[in-house]
Amino acid sequence: MNRTGHMVETRAIVIKQVAGGQALVEAIREGGCSLCAGSKGCGGGTLSQLFCVRPRRFRANNAANAHVGEEVKVSVTDGVLLQSALILYGLPLLFMFGGAFIGAQWLDSAVDQDIGAATGAICGLVCGFLLAAYVASRRRLAGLAEAVIIVGK
């Protein structure tokens, strides 16, 4: 747990036991807030179901010793989701804008600057994604972004 002790939790079903005391879990889709069922809400839950068709599966530390088919609560330390989003979205965007700036400065004429900016943006974006994947894998190996099964239902 982090300094404040807050955790983000979701319900999931254990799909498979994995070596090292871990389990593959599939998050149970929540339909948004309780207002979605009464069609009085904003419809965010319905919209997320439209774009998220694949089940969300991920590994979790099986501290509760849950069995395959069991419904569990999976917890992640508060702040990990924000940090992960910043790494996976922020780094590529930062590198893309940096690459565009550097590419535009490299060439002289206005047309060439546009080509340089576009080329620099693409190169920066690719480098940003590669760096984000590397940082995410290092965080996963270090256990900094680890989900933990805490309880059954």
Side-chain angles (χ1 to χ4, degrees):
M1 287 192 356
N2 63 3
R3 284 176 261 133
T4 59
H6 291 91
M7 304 291 270
V8 176
E9 297 177 353
T10 190
R11 294 180 349 193
I13 295 175
V14 178
I15 302 296
K16 177 177 150 183
Q17 297 290 341
V18 183
Q22 294 194 334
L24 182 66
V25 296
E26 182 176 310
I28 298 173
R29 290 186 180 218
E30 304 286 335
C33 68
S34 61
L35 294 176
C36 280
S39 9
K40 296 178 184 175
C42 67
T46 306
L47 187 62
S48 70
Q49 288 177 355
L50 178 66
F51 291 108
C52 300
V53 292
R54 290 187 324 171
R56 295 178 293 166
R57 291 185 175 179
F58 53 94
R59 286 181 179 219
N61 184 355
N62 195 358
N65 200 21
H67 303 289
V68 174
E70 188 175 346
E71 185 177 321
V72 296
K73 278 189 183 177
V74 179
S75 175
V76 175
T77 305
D78 192 24
V80 168
L81 297 177
L82 178 60
Q83 291 170 0
S84 297
L86 286 174
I87 290 168
L88 295 176
Y89 294 106
L91 276 177
L93 283 175
L94 183 67
F95 274 62
M96 181 184 76
F97 288 124
F101 178 76
I102 291 169
Q105 300 304 314
W106 204 336
L107 302 171
D108 290 333
S109 74
V111 173
D112 289 342
Q113 283 182 339
D114 289 344
I115 293 170
T119 304
I122 292 169
C123 291
L125 187 64
V126 169
C127 289
F129 276 127
L130 292 173
L131 180 62
Y134 174 75
V135 170
S137 70
R138 298 293 297 173
R139 287 174 51 87
R140 188 172 37 253
L141 289 174
L144 297 174
E146 185 174 70
V148 178
I149 297 173
I150 52 174
V151 294
K153 286 188 194 183

